[in-house]
Amino acid sequence: MAIGDRIAKHGATRFFSGFLRRLGKLPVLLVVIFLGSSLAGGTAWAQVVPPFIVGPPGNIFAPNTLKLVQVIEPPNLMDYVKDKNAAIALGKALFWDVQVSSDAQIACASCHFNAGADSRATNSLNPGFNKRFNAGPVNSTLTTAQYPFHQRANPAIQKSVITRNWDDVTGSQGVLLTRFDGIVPGQAVELGTPLPDPTFTAGATKVRAVTGRNAPTMIDAAFNFASFWDGRANNVFNGVNPFGPADSNARVFATDPLNPLTLTPEVVRMRMASPASQAVGPPLSDVEMSYRGRTFPIIGKKMLVLKPLAQQAVRSDDSVLGPYADTVSGTGLVTPITGAPLTYADMVAAAFKDKYWANATWKVTYNAGVGTPSAGAPALPTEFAQMEANFSLFFGLAIMLYENTLIANDTPFDRFQEGHVGVLSPRQEFGLEAFIVTGCDGCHAGPEFTAHNQIELQGLQPLSQNPRNTIAIAVQNRFGFVYEDETLYNVGVRPTREDLGRGGATPPGLDTRPRPLNRNRSFPLAYSTLSFAKLAGKLPDLPGGLGLATFTPDFPDNPPFTRRNDTVKGAFKIPTLRNAQLTGPFFHNGSAATLMQVVDFYTRGGNFPSLNARNLNPLILSISLLQETTPITPASNPYDDPANIGRPIGEVRQEAIVDFILSLTDSRVRDEAGPFDHPALTIPQGSAGPAIVLPAVGAAGRAAQSLPLLQGFLGITDYAQHIVP
């Protein structure tokens, strides 16, 4: 795609914010020389100007409406999917069904029920790096007074006195720590033996474990290039787990085309499928959804015979599941039109190609996680039918396709950029300008409001090739040139050593070679670290170019410009700002409760810029325009509000940015109108409750059912407060 075409399609800042972000990582002298020579007379530059000037109807420097951006699906998706609509229905059912968890009380949606995020306040603390609860005891209820976890006397000034510094995490509670002992066919609750959990025990009562990172929203997650905060949910889905081509042993089982009665192991490589990679992670986490030791084939063996959503009400006007709703019993799904009994096996058969589930004469057994097919139907608990063995493939792809429908592209901002008048207030328009001028759009770029998106990172590369823009070179003031994994940044929320983020690794054991890359047989997560190993010939590959070496992106320059990539340590994915009004708390550790607390963080240049100096993204600096104390006069009043007179202009800019971010809330998300409607769900909250009870919501939304609209974390309504009493 030509530069002019790209600007015309995605908006001026889709191109220029990424362009300037990369220029900002080069020495200033080189930037001046480049811009000077280009502006002086380069005809190529002159050809870029007209689309930049024309721009969208609202603000020509802002991104276009998200309605112009399509989710990029895996090119080979239909090699596996038979009926996309049936797969979406399966994905929505699985996402909201508590039967997926070992105790039949936790669904995927339990951590993503409020605008795609988790707003629970009771038993939502993880003690963090120091293993001690600082913000409150285990199983306590959080209040606004406990935020932010890192606080300054003057929140806008880096040198201001630190008055609070807690390393706790606002996470999501899952299951009680339990050893998996087996399943009872036809029952959702699994057999297990309780295990001691000193961290999550209140007095004599063991409570549900809490995750060590905050749950990001899954609305608009379809645009993510990689998923989870550290990007470990690979862009390339392997059909089995989150780790893509790093797991050389991951296989599904397909009918042998040369002998239709037999099964053959098959390698799956699906690019642009990070939501599928993410989806298959939590069901096996002994913190989130699983008793310890459970596997995906076991989940398949349990789930495939069950009635979908058997414990939960589904409205007949649900935007996806309405035709399946069991209006006779009041819970679960049945076959559309006929009302005949329905199982998850029926839904899988309707959604996916027969070659991945229809074989009934062979079985699969596992040894150390590696499956082997053999003749004979399964007869033992340790033997699995083809559909059971491939359940991770169905689960991941179905939930990905469901999440691909959850696109919040009808916000006031989107309508403003489409030319509608009066949809943004004067302060929000000023906030948008301040958002751009202060450089917020450098990272929260494009219509997605995160540069960590498919278009930005794949670049102009064909989808059959590795992404072009995943590795970038930056320049740090004190340490010089450094490679970084683009759009995964250390911004100084916590000291690097507390959570390595992108600088971490896959689980041990994936590297099964006689001479592994690391002692614990793991692989690095960071593309830049993997690229160094690839250059040295130390990455594995598979026949046909299906291994990790083939799928690891190359450096943008060869040979590499430097041997450093320290910035991947403590780095996390740039989150979207869409619907942020509803998706607090914020940051990967959930340490801020209001949007103003986030703005304060960036205004002062992070929390630990000195301690994290070797790892910090070089663009994390204090923002003088937001610190400016010049009083506003009638002549300088940015949007003619008399209340601004005499106030510091920096403070007014901060509040306006927060107000602009509120314009990124889609009213359908707040109302849970289709496609954001859902089945009923009861969500555990603390050892003594009360549980959160979500009624089933139909396509017309909450208001049509006389239900209140969604609120943000802790019911906060004034997002411009530095401290909420």
Side-chain angles (χ1 to χ4, degrees), residues 124 170 364:
S124 292
T170 311
V364 180

Side-chain angles (χ1 to χ4, degrees), residues 213-453:
R213 292 181 186 152
N214 184 250
T217 180
M218 35 66 71
I219 293 175
D220 293 331
F223 297 113
N224 287 343
F225 185 82
S227 297
F228 291 128
W229 279 105
D230 55 12
R232 71 184 184 278
N234 204 285
N235 178 266
V236 180
F237 183 43
N238 65 20
V240 176
N241 57 43
F243 305 107
D247 188 350
S248 297
N249 290 319
R251 299 287 190 279
V252 300
F253 299 91
T255 300
D256 189 334
L258 300 179
N259 188 347
L261 298 179
T262 64
L263 292 181
T264 300
E266 182 177 295
V267 176
V268 174
R269 295 290 183 263
M270 302 182 71
R271 296 181 188 266
M272 294 296 172
S274 79
S277 296
Q278 186 278 330
V280 296
L284 297 186
S285 166
D286 61 12
V287 171
E288 298 179 61
M289 299 181 73
S290 181
Y291 292 165
R292 181 174 291 174
R294 179 171 83 151
T295 66
F296 242 107
I298 290 172
I299 299 176
K301 188 179 285 289
K302 179 182 84 168
M303 293 293 296
L304 288 168
V305 300
L306 297 180
K307 177 183 181 179
L309 294 159
Q311 303 175 31
Q312 297 159 253
V314 180
R315 287 181 61 95
S316 60
D317 59 349
D318 185 285
S319 61
V320 172
L321 299 177
Y324 297 83
D326 187 345
T327 57
V328 176
S329 72
T331 59
L333 307 182
V334 292
T335 304
I337 301 176
T338 67
L342 184 73
T343 66
Y344 272 115
D346 298 324
M347 297 189 78
V348 167
F352 290 94
K353 295 287 183 71
D354 294 14
K355 66 178 290 189
Y356 294 105
W357 60 263
N359 187 296
T361 60
W362 275 50
K363 60 182 177 292
V364 180
T365 55
Y366 289 86
N367 181 22
V370 178
T372 302
S374 60
L380 301 173
T382 55
E383 298 174 345
F384 299 91
Q386 182 191 23
M387 188 182 283
E388 297 167 348
N390 288 344
F391 195 67
S392 57
L393 174 72
F394 310 138
F395 192 94
L397 291 182
I399 287 183
M400 178 188 75
L401 288 171
Y402 165 55
E403 290 185 354
N404 285 0
T405 70
L406 303 180
I407 306 303
N409 59 7
D410 194 27
T411 70
F413 167 79
D414 292 300
R415 294 195 292 275
F416 178 71
Q417 291 299 85
E418 292 158 14
H420 296 274
V421 178
V423 291
L424 296 191
S425 69
R427 184 163 80 160
Q428 287 176 321
E429 289 194 45
F430 175 66
L432 171 57
E433 295 168 5
F435 184 86
I436 295 170
V437 170
T438 56
C440 301
D441 67 330
C443 292
H444 296 285
E448 304 90 344
F449 280 87
T450 169
H452 190 85
N453 64 66

Side-chain angles (χ1 to χ4, degrees), residues 378-622:
L380 301 173
T382 55
E383 298 174 345
F384 299 91
Q386 182 191 23
M387 188 182 283
E388 297 167 348
N390 288 344
F391 195 67
S392 57
L393 174 72
F394 310 138
F395 192 94
L397 291 182
I399 287 183
M400 178 188 75
L401 288 171
Y402 165 55
E403 290 185 354
N404 285 0
T405 70
L406 303 180
I407 306 303
N409 59 7
D410 194 27
T411 70
F413 167 79
D414 292 300
R415 294 195 292 275
F416 178 71
Q417 291 299 85
E418 292 158 14
H420 296 274
V421 178
V423 291
L424 296 191
S425 69
R427 184 163 80 160
Q428 287 176 321
E429 289 194 45
F430 175 66
L432 171 57
E433 295 168 5
F435 184 86
I436 295 170
V437 170
T438 56
C440 301
D441 67 330
C443 292
H444 296 285
E448 304 90 344
F449 280 87
T450 169
H452 190 85
N453 64 66
Q454 295 172 320
I455 294 174
E456 174 76 18
L457 295 181
Q458 186 66 22
L460 303 180
Q461 293 290 90
L463 296 182
S464 60
Q465 297 180 19
N466 287 335
R468 180 185 295 272
N469 298 329
T470 51
I471 304 174
I473 190 165
V475 58
Q476 294 174 307
N477 184 42
R478 290 169 53 191
F479 304 104
F481 292 103
V482 62
Y483 282 112
E484 62 185 11
D485 274 31
E486 185 67 296
T487 70
L488 293 107
Y489 298 147
N490 185 322
V491 298
V493 174
R494 294 298 308 166
T496 296
R497 70 190 183 106
E498 292 185 3
D499 189 338
L500 290 179
R502 188 62 170 176
T506 68
L510 293 190
D511 191 349
T512 57
R513 296 173 298 171
R515 299 182 64 181
L517 186 64
N518 297 309
R519 287 185 178 181
N520 68 354
R521 296 186 175 276
S522 65
F523 288 106
L525 296 178
Y527 283 133
S528 50
T529 309
L530 288 168
S531 290
F532 282 126
K534 179 179 178 179
L535 279 175
K538 295 182 178 180
L539 291 186
D541 215 333
L542 292 174
L546 296 175
L548 183 58
T550 297
F551 284 85
T552 295
D554 295 315
F555 285 107
D557 43 3
N558 189 15
F561 198 84
T562 176
R563 300 300 299 182
R564 291 185 60 238
N565 71 330
D566 298 329
T567 53
V568 302
K569 296 177 181 177
F572 296 95
K573 182 184 64 178
I574 300 169
T576 181
L577 295 182
R578 285 182 173 268
N579 300 300
Q581 178 180 10
L582 305 173
T583 60
F586 306 107
F587 296 121
H588 71 274
N589 63 346
S591 59
T594 72
L595 292 169
M596 181 56 79
Q597 290 170 4
V598 176
V599 172
D600 285 338
F601 168 87
Y602 286 106
T603 298
R604 65 177 175 262
N607 292 339
F608 300 94
S610 297
L611 189 60
N612 289 10
R614 292 194 67 89
N615 317 113
L616 197 71
N617 183 273
L619 298 183
I620 299 302
L621 303 165
S622 59

Side-chain angles (χ1 to χ4, degrees), residues 659-675:
D659 206 23
F660 162 66
I661 294 173
L662 301 186
S663 77
L664 299 176
T665 301
D666 191 319
S667 61
R668 298 172 302 161
V669 173
R670 189 200 299 271
D671 191 31
E672 294 189 323

